């Protein structure tokens, strides 16, 4: 693995964090827009950088993740920004869809960190960066346990999470799975020992 530093995100990282998310969730955003830079520009304003950690490789943001909790989430669907970059129709639909995904209240206790937006830029994948980000960011918090969700078709992520010690505790069938390209969301938990 390249020399990687895991650190809290800072305001100057905002656009690079957004680009990493746009690239990491390219398939999910492609319904609204296939241009990852445009997606990044549309979501950047809604990111709560206080909740983000980055993997910094020689000054480049190689990966990101956020840790949210019952007191707040890592992103908001900013209607003005989404309409500006996606147009009125797709921006309105995007606001509706992303508001549910980004802003839904978490029902976990205050002692549980919810890991979301785990993404690694394409050129840095398969180098252990996601694993390093997860391990280091969890050490930098005071949460007693962590929860995340992953789609049933994301085998590499499932393998990464399992190798760290996450264990599956629930599956929820996806309503529009065929259109989204997966059948279930798998929920996994990690407890500090």
């Amino acid at each position: 693995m390249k020399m990687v530093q895991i650190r809290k995100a800072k305001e100057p990282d905002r656009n690079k964090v957004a680009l990493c998310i746009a690239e990491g969730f390219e398939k999910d955003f492609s319904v609204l827009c296939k241009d990852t830079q445009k997606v990044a520009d549309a979501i950047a304003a809604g990111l709560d950088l206080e909740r983000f950690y980055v993997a910094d490789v020689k000054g480049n943001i190689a990966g990101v993740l956020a840790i949210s909790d019952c007191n707040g989430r890592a992103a908001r669907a900013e209607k003005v920004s989404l309409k500006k970059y996606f147009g009125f129709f797709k921006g309105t639909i995007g606001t509706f869809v992303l508001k549910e995904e980004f802003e839904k209240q978490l029902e976990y206790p205050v002692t549980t960190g919810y890991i979301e937006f785990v993404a690694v830029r394409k050129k840095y994948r398969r180098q252990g960066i996601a694993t390093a980000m997860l391990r280091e960011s969890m050490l930098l918090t005071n949460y007693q346990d962590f929860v995340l969700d992953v789609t049933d078709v994301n085998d590499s992520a499932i393998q990464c999470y399992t190798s760290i010690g996450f264990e599956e505790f629930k599956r929820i069938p996806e309503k529009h799975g065929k259109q989204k390209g997966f059948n279930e969301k798998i929920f996994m938990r990690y407890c500090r020992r």
Side-chain angles (χ1 to χ4, degrees), residues 129-166:
I129 289 176
T131 302
M133 279 194 310
L134 284 158
R135 285 190 171 134
E136 291 295 317
S137 64
M138 290 188 311
L139 288 173
L140 295 172
T141 72
N142 293 320
Y143 297 111
Q144 292 175 9
D145 62 327
F146 298 88
V147 172
L148 57 77
D149 66 75
V150 60
T151 61
D152 61 342
V153 297
N154 195 343
D155 295 330
S156 60
I158 293 167
Q159 185 178 8
C160 172
Y161 303 145
T162 303
S163 74
I164 292 170
F166 279 86

Side-chain angles (χ1 to χ4, degrees), residues 9-185:
K10 301 172 191 163
E11 187 55 41
D13 300 325
R14 180 174 296 280
N15 293 332
K16 291 177 183 174
V17 168
L19 185 58
C20 191
I21 293 168
E23 194 173 286
F25 295 91
E26 186 174 14
K27 186 177 179 202
D28 302 291
F29 286 115
S30 69
V31 175
L32 297 170
C33 182
K34 293 188 184 335
D35 180 337
T36 54
Q37 185 60 59
K38 197 178 269 192
V39 169
D41 293 341
I43 65 171
L47 301 179
D48 179 358
L49 291 183
E50 289 290 316
R51 297 189 174 276
F52 278 89
Y53 295 84
V54 299
D56 185 316
V57 176
K58 296 180 184 173
N60 296 310
I61 304 297
V64 302
L65 69 74
I67 303 179
S68 298
D69 57 34
C70 62
N71 293 317
R73 299 288 300 271
R76 297 175 316 282
E78 291 289 336
K79 182 169 36 174
V80 172
S81 185
L82 293 170
K83 285 182 178 179
K84 176 181 176 182
Y85 290 100
F86 298 154
F88 180 82
F89 182 69
K90 285 187 176 181
T92 301
I93 291 171
T95 301
F96 177 75
V97 171
L98 295 177
K99 191 169 196 65
E100 171 68 17
E101 187 69 27
F102 288 2
E103 300 177 27
K104 185 177 179 181
Q105 176 71 36
L106 297 172
E107 302 296 327
Y108 302 109
V110 72
T111 56
T112 299
Y114 182 73
I115 297 174
E116 55 186 337
F117 296 111
V118 179
V120 177
R121 299 286 312 267
K122 287 178 183 174
K123 72 179 190 176
Y124 295 103
R125 290 183 186 159
R126 305 233 181 272
Q127 298 176 33
I129 289 176
T131 302
M133 279 194 310
L134 284 158
R135 285 190 171 134
E136 291 295 317
S137 64
M138 290 188 311
L139 288 173
L140 295 172
T141 72
N142 293 320
Y143 297 111
Q144 292 175 9
D145 62 327
F146 298 88
V147 172
L148 57 77
D149 66 75
V150 60
T151 61
D152 61 342
V153 297
N154 195 343
D155 295 330
S156 60
I158 293 167
Q159 185 178 8
C160 172
Y161 303 145
T162 303
S163 74
I164 292 170
F166 279 86
E167 296 177 353
E168 179 180 335
F169 70 92
K170 170 171 74 171
R171 286 182 183 237
I172 297 179
E174 184 61 32
K175 290 179 188 174
H176 305 287
K178 193 170 189 172
Q179 294 89 339
K180 292 183 176 179
F182 65 94
N183 299 310
E184 299 175 307
K185 277 194 177 178

